[in-house]
Amino acid sequence: MGAMFRSEEMALCQLFIQPEAAYTSVSELGEAGSVQFRDLNPDVNAFQRKFVNEVRRCDEMERKLRYIEVEVHKDGVHVPQVKESPRAPNPREIIDLEAHLEKTENEILELSHNAVNLKQNYLELTELKHVLEKTEAFFVAQEEIGMDSLTKSLISDETGQQAAARGRLGFVAGVVQRERVPAFERMLWRISRGNVFLRRAELDKPLEDPTSGNEIYKTVFVAFFQGEQLKSRIKKVCTGFHASLYPCPPSNGERQDMVKGVRTRLEDLNMVLNQTRDHRQRVLASVAKELASWSIMVRKMKAIYHTLNLFNMDVTKKCLIGECWVPTADLPNVQKALADGSNACGSSIPSFLNCIETDEEPPTFNRTNRFTRGFQNLIDAYGVASYRECNPALYTIITFPFLFAVMFGDLGHGLIMAMFGAWMVTKEVSLAAKKSNNEIWNIFFAGRYIILLMGCFSMYTGLVYNDIFSKSMNIFGSTWFVPYDNDTLEKNGALTLDPKDSYVDRPYFIGIDPIWQTADNKIIFLNSYKMKLSIIFGVVHMIFGVCMSVVNYNFFKRRYSIFLEFIPQVVFLCLLFLYMVFMMFYKWVAYSTMSEDQAYSQGCAPSVLILFINMMLFSSNEPEPGCKEFMFEGQGTIQRVFVLVALCCIPVMLLGKPLYLLAAGKKKHAKAEQSNGSVGQGIELQEQTDLEGAPPAKAAPHDHEEEPFSEIMIHQAIHTIEYVLSTISHTASYLRLWALSLAHADLLLQDALKVATEIVLVTRNASVEWHFRNANLNKTRISRVEFMSKFYAGLGYIFQPFCFKTILEQEDDE
């Protein structure tokens, strides 16, 4: 949990790598995933960097892989997933891989080209067969009609061209796409002024497009005309509508002979197509086994060369120099990766790593596991923690699901959520292996541990609220009994239970007594109960957030802020709002319906809210006869002292830190002038500084020591006003816990009474979903604003190491 409490310590390092070992060393670093490289060539164009040609080669190999993948998926060949990610190929293997990809692409291109040509021939023969078969029906119909010389000229033994030469009718037969037929008919009618007789027949089965493989529905047509001029116009129209024209003998015998020949050729061509398809399947199946590995290797190669473009050459052009951020705990792993990279290429000169000093703020790195990753993502979505700042994710593991459970407290719904979360947790390995594009599912799966804890906490709060699907459970037996007989119960719709007579003087074992479910004043009781709980949780939560600021002040050596900021803030919060919480507990303990003292009976209990308002306004109210204005003796005096001390804390918060920094700055300036007056003293200080050396990079958030006094004063004034006002608003903001809890139970009760109809079932599900989302939204707001604003700056930037696993996952998601 060390990395969860505070981000890991980072070091800025220089890498000195020999050019021959650069590729393998960076490959080892990518497998380790422990360094974030910096660009040492920010002013150099991407096309002018040293390894731009290698990047282009990788781009070309990626293009070939994309083409091969498209062809594989087009034929429905299964691509198996790699069990273990292959390592990046060494420079000698890159040439072999490039040549193999070139050969594979050319082979698939040739197979695809041959298949398209064969399919084109098959399509033309199929269309010709349909033309010959369909036109047979046209000529038979003409014979049955028994037309005179015009029909005889059509079925004569002479060709259509000779008949047209004698003034007889000619014809053109072909195939056109079905959706173009209406426009095709209109165009023929317009160019011939109605002198073209068109016969057509639709094909029952679709034909396959050789290029795209899509199904196309076509229609066979025969256009009868007279004259060569009209024939040329018809052919031009056919060309414009992409209609295919085929020769069709007018003689029945010739057509039959041609049909037989076409069928024989189709059978032969179909056999060739099947053999070609089988050969293509075998080639693609063998390629598919290696496709995933090739893709991973090429992407790793490209990432390596992109990273090498961030390096710089030394003056002698014999060494590559890179800079990177490294967690100090991973420095041995980085050194081992460099050594392995040098050994892999057989370099005699080892690569080495050198940590350098810097004043630049390092990136923030919180090492997480499967359980803590979801909570850390919630914090990072609000703002990445400043370097070495206290990390709220550690406490959010408990507070985040608990605040949700306070608003969504129901044993039944909590059980459903816990079961869903437990299912995702137990099946996380198999579920993670199934890549999904469903964004909602990915969000749920990423927060599976959060959902599990929210369900468990909701079950607990549901048990405390004694709610299971808005119904109560009588597990331990009620501690109230009814002192009325049956006749009294039958004659009265509502009766009052007096605690003196109906209470056994022992509380229900856990939670709320189930008898409250039947009480007319149930809502009034729960309203007061949950409202006070919300204020108690809110004040404790805010005090804990203020106390966490001490951890940051102490770590960043700003201990003056403990006295000038933390103590006034926590005193202001405790004297006002923690005191209000104390009054709630005191009222619960001191006032009772069974008290013998009239002043401490339940009817004389003063309102905590009214007492708090009077405390702030220095006013008072006249108590009821026989009652007291205050809960205990001297409460009025104590309250005035508390308010005055709290008001005195405001000028301390406003002026304390600026005046201290102003005085410290003058003192520091005076020491600097005094040290400059003695030459020997200045040299001694400089030598001491060099010998001590600077510590690892460590930047403190909100460090105003070098700012002008006016800016410090403005910032502190804004901070003080924000804290004082937000203390009131944030306390009131916690009342959303009470409001959402009541709304959740009330709406579920209304839905449960109408569960008979389907419409109300839909309404019920919608209301539960709405409350679930609203509870998530409000708990996120409370965690980020009311809690984290007390100590969390969130001005850092995330540590993004060069890691092959992360790169491959991001590319797969895209």
Side-chain angles (χ1 to χ4, degrees):
M1 285 298 180
M4 288 297 295
F5 180 75
R6 193 185 304 281
S7 62
E8 294 198 8
E9 188 175 355
M10 308 293 292
L12 182 61
C13 301
Q14 279 185 330
L15 304 179
F16 297 89
I17 307 175
Q18 298 303 312
E20 64 272 11
Y23 178 89
T24 53
S25 298
V26 174
S27 175
E28 294 292 336
L29 292 175
E31 297 291 344
S34 301
V35 299
Q36 176 180 335
F37 288 99
R38 302 173 64 189
D39 190 1
L40 300 183
N41 308 296
D43 300 328
V44 180
N45 189 285
F47 299 99
Q48 297 176 346
R49 302 204 175 193
K50 181 176 178 59
F51 298 94
V52 64
N53 293 328
E54 286 78 2
V55 173
R56 288 175 178 172
R57 289 173 59 190
C58 294
D59 288 336
E60 179 64 19
M61 285 189 281
E62 281 188 332
R63 183 198 62 79
K64 295 175 182 178
L65 285 172
R66 285 194 298 269
Y67 169 74
I68 296 173
E69 185 177 4
V70 169
E71 294 297 321
V72 168
H73 289 305
K74 184 189 296 184
D75 283 27
V77 179
H78 174 67
V79 180
Q81 297 293 331
V82 292
K83 296 181 180 179
E84 185 177 356
S85 178
R87 302 180 70 89
N90 57 50
R92 291 186 296 271
E93 294 174 346
I94 294 176
I95 301 175
D96 298 336
L97 178 60
E98 192 174 14
H100 191 61
L101 290 178
E102 181 74 20
K103 178 183 177 182
T104 303
E105 182 192 26
N106 292 335
E107 186 176 4
I108 296 177
L109 278 172
E110 184 178 358
L111 289 173
S112 301
H113 182 69
N114 293 337
V116 169
N117 291 337
L118 291 174
K119 288 181 180 180
Q120 182 65 36
N121 294 336
Y122 187 82
L123 175 65
E124 293 175 355
L125 290 174
T126 304
E127 291 179 347
L128 176 58
K129 181 175 72 73
H130 286 300
V131 168
L132 295 174
E133 293 175 350
K134 297 296 183 181
T135 54
E136 180 68 23
F138 297 156
F139 288 107
V140 171
Q142 296 289 0
E143 292 177 357
E144 291 178 355
I145 294 174
M147 296 183 64
D148 50 4
S149 60
L150 198 63
T151 304
K152 294 179 181 179
S153 66
L154 290 175
I155 60 177
S156 63
D157 294 335
E158 298 172 321
T159 63
Q161 184 177 2
Q162 293 171 346
R166 296 183 181 181
R168 299 176 182 176
L169 289 180
F171 61 90
V172 173
V175 178
V176 68
Q177 292 188 15
R178 183 178 299 179
E179 61 270 13
R180 297 176 180 175
V181 170
F184 182 64
E185 288 183 350
R186 288 195 298 269
M187 184 59 68
L188 290 178
W189 185 85
R190 290 174 181 174
I191 66 169
S192 64
R193 297 181 181 180
N195 291 325
V196 172
F197 179 61
L198 183 68
R199 296 292 302 274
R200 57 188 176 84
E202 296 182 353
L203 301 182
D204 298 333
K205 296 181 179 180
L207 302 178
E208 181 183 356
D209 187 358
T211 304
S212 63
N214 298 328
E215 293 183 345
I216 304 174
Y217 289 89
K218 292 193 174 184
T219 300
V220 175
F221 68 90
V222 177
F224 297 93
F225 58 88
Q226 185 177 19
E228 287 293 330
Q229 186 176 5
L230 192 56
K231 179 180 179 181
S232 63
R233 292 183 181 179
I234 293 173
K235 288 187 175 181
K236 289 181 180 178
V237 173
C238 292
T239 304
F241 280 86
H242 300 284
S244 302
L245 300 179
Y246 294 98
C248 180
S251 171
N252 184 24
E254 293 179 357
R255 286 197 302 274
Q256 293 296 332
D257 294 339
M258 182 175 266
V259 168
K260 292 179 181 179
V262 169
R263 289 175 179 172
T264 303
R265 292 172 60 187
L266 281 174
E267 292 177 358
D268 297 339
L269 191 57
N270 191 30
M271 185 183 300
V272 176
L273 275 173
N274 291 333
Q275 294 176 355
T276 303
R277 191 178 297 111
D278 293 340
H279 179 60
R280 176 184 169 89
Q281 284 285 333
R282 289 193 296 269
V283 172
L284 294 179
S286 62
V287 171
K289 296 178 181 179
E290 303 292 336
L291 185 60
S293 299
W294 291 344
S295 178
I296 293 174
M297 288 191 291
V298 171
R299 284 187 286 177
K300 286 185 176 182
M301 289 164 48
K302 186 177 179 180
I304 291 172
Y305 287 122
H306 271 301
T307 303
L308 288 175
N309 279 330
L310 305 178
F311 283 54
N312 198 357
M313 275 285 186
D314 68 336
V315 180
T316 61
K317 304 293 183 181
K318 295 181 180 180
C319 182
L320 283 173
I321 302 176
E323 289 186 3
C324 59
W325 292 106
V326 184
T328 54
D330 292 339
L331 286 175
N333 296 335
V334 176
Q335 293 173 344
K336 182 179 182 301
L338 293 177
D340 293 341
S342 299
N343 296 332
C345 69
S347 176
S348 59
I349 303 177
S351 303
F352 61 94
L353 177 145
N354 179 34
C355 296
I356 59 177
E357 302 172 1
T358 180
D359 293 331
E360 183 179 351
E361 183 177 359
T364 300
F365 175 51
N366 296 103
R367 204 182 300 271
T368 59
N369 52 35
R370 290 180 295 182
F371 174 71
T372 59
R373 188 175 299 116
F375 296 95
Q376 188 63 54
N377 290 337
L378 287 175
I379 303 302
D380 292 342
Y382 173 75
V384 179
S386 302
Y387 177 65
R388 303 290 285 164
E389 184 181 17
C390 188
N391 184 19
L394 179 62
Y395 320 105
T396 305
I397 295 176
I398 299 301
T399 61
F400 194 82
F402 177 73
L403 293 176
F404 170 85
V406 173
M407 294 179 280
F408 205 77
D410 190 282
L411 184 59
H413 288 108
L415 178 62
I416 294 174
M417 289 180 58
M419 291 174 62
F420 178 58
W423 173 74
M424 289 190 293
V425 169
T426 54
K427 301 289 185 180
E428 62 181 356
V429 177
S430 59
L431 293 175
K434 299 177 182 178
K435 301 295 183 180
S436 175
N437 295 326
N438 191 316
E439 184 177 357
I440 296 179
W441 163 252
N442 291 334
I443 293 174
F444 280 158
F445 184 72
R448 56 193 179 277
Y449 289 98
I450 302 177
I451 294 176
L452 175 61
L453 289 182
M454 289 194 305
C456 294
F457 277 80
S458 296
M459 292 172 60
Y460 167 73
T461 54
L463 185 63
V464 173
Y465 295 159
N466 202 353
D467 272 346
I468 175 169
F469 297 113
S470 195
K471 297 293 183 180
S472 292
M473 303 173 293
N474 192 357
I475 302 176
F476 305 103
S478 176
T479 57
W480 293 74
F481 63 91
V482 180
Y484 304 105
D485 55 15
N486 292 334
D487 294 337
T488 306
L489 294 175
E490 291 176 357
K491 294 178 182 179
N492 297 276
L495 295 170
T496 301
L497 297 181
D498 190 350
K500 293 183 179 180
D501 302 327
S502 306
Y503 187 60
V504 299
D505 200 18
R506 61 176 177 83
Y508 191 68
F509 182 73
I510 182 173
I512 298 175
D513 196 299
I515 201 171
W516 284 104
Q517 187 71 19
T518 60
D520 290 342
N521 60 339
K522 171 190 174 183
I523 298 299
I524 299 175
F525 169 72
L526 292 179
N527 189 22
S528 175
Y529 171 72
K530 294 185 177 181
M531 180 176 64
K532 289 181 174 62
L533 282 182
S534 300
I535 297 298
I536 294 171
F537 290 148
V539 173
V540 173
H541 200 210
M542 289 191 298
I543 291 177
F544 177 64
V546 175
C547 293
M548 286 306 302
S549 62
V550 178
V551 181
N552 286 330
Y553 295 151
N554 183 65
F555 180 81
F556 292 115
K557 310 300 181 183
R558 291 168 51 193
R559 295 183 176 87
Y560 60 87
S561 293
I562 298 177
F563 301 97
L564 301 178
E565 290 186 285
F566 163 70
I567 292 180
Q569 288 176 356
V570 76
V571 168
F572 180 85
L573 186 59
C574 291
L575 293 183
L576 298 182
F577 296 98
L578 186 61
Y579 171 71
M580 181 174 62
V581 172
F582 164 76
M583 287 193 292
M584 294 178 186
F585 281 99
Y586 189 86
K587 180 179 178 180
W588 286 339
V589 174
Y591 292 85
S592 172
T593 55
M594 294 182 288
S595 176
E596 297 180 357
D597 189 352
Q598 174 65 24
Y600 288 95
S601 64
Q602 190 70 30
C604 289
S607 172
V608 174
L609 180 60
I610 299 300
L611 282 177
F612 184 75
I613 294 175
N614 292 337
M615 169 184 170
M616 301 301 296
L617 298 178
F618 293 97
S619 62
S620 61
N621 290 337
E622 189 68 25
E624 296 290 336
C627 300
K628 296 181 179 180
E629 179 183 359
F630 298 106
M631 297 181 181
F632 52 88
E633 297 294 333
Q635 184 179 4
T637 304
I638 293 176
Q639 290 183 166
R640 293 187 186 93
V641 173
F642 281 1
V643 174
L644 292 176
V645 174
L647 293 176
C648 292
C649 292
I650 297 177
V652 177
M653 289 186 285
L654 178 64
L655 302 174
K657 179 180 176 180
L659 294 178
Y660 174 82
L661 293 179
L662 178 63
K666 290 182 178 179
K667 185 177 180 181
K668 182 178 180 181
H669 183 68
K671 286 185 177 180
E673 289 182 351
Q674 183 180 1
S675 62
N676 290 335
S678 174
V679 178
Q681 185 178 5
I683 296 175
E684 182 180 357
L685 290 176
Q686 182 67 34
E687 290 177 352
Q688 183 179 3
T689 303
D690 294 338
L691 290 175
E692 290 179 352
K698 177 164 62 178
H702 299 308
D703 192 358
H704 307 287
E705 295 182 358
E706 302 299 330
E707 295 180 1
F709 178 77
S710 59
E711 294 185 8
I712 297 175
M713 192 65 199
I714 292 173
H715 180 274
Q716 192 65 20
I718 296 173
H719 181 69
T720 302
I721 295 173
E722 180 185 8
Y723 178 81
V724 173
L725 296 181
S726 66
T727 302
I728 303 173
S729 63
H730 288 178
T731 304
S733 181
Y734 279 92
L735 292 176
R736 67 185 70 236
L737 302 176
W738 152 61
L740 266 294
S741 177
L742 287 181
H744 176 74
D746 185 55
L747 286 182
L748 286 181
L749 177 60
Q750 295 178 9
D751 291 337
L753 296 176
K754 303 175 182 178
V755 74
T757 63
E758 182 179 357
I759 297 177
V760 176
L761 281 176
V762 176
T763 306
R764 178 180 182 179
N765 293 335
S767 66
V768 174
E769 181 182 0
W770 179 83
H771 278 288
F772 176 79
R773 293 182 181 180
N774 207 2
N776 271 287
L777 176 64
N778 284 282
K779 71 176 181 182
T780 304
R781 198 264 185 193
I782 289 175
S783 297
R784 293 179 175 178
V785 179
E786 277 75 17
F787 173 62
M788 291 167 55
S789 62
K790 301 295 188 295
F791 67 96
Y792 186 67
L795 300 178
Y797 62 100
I798 198 68
F799 175 65
Q800 297 177 329
F802 172 64
C803 178
F804 288 143
K805 182 180 180 181
T806 304
I807 294 173
L808 295 176
E809 289 177 352
Q810 291 176 350
E811 292 181 356
D812 291 338
D813 294 339
E814 294 175 358

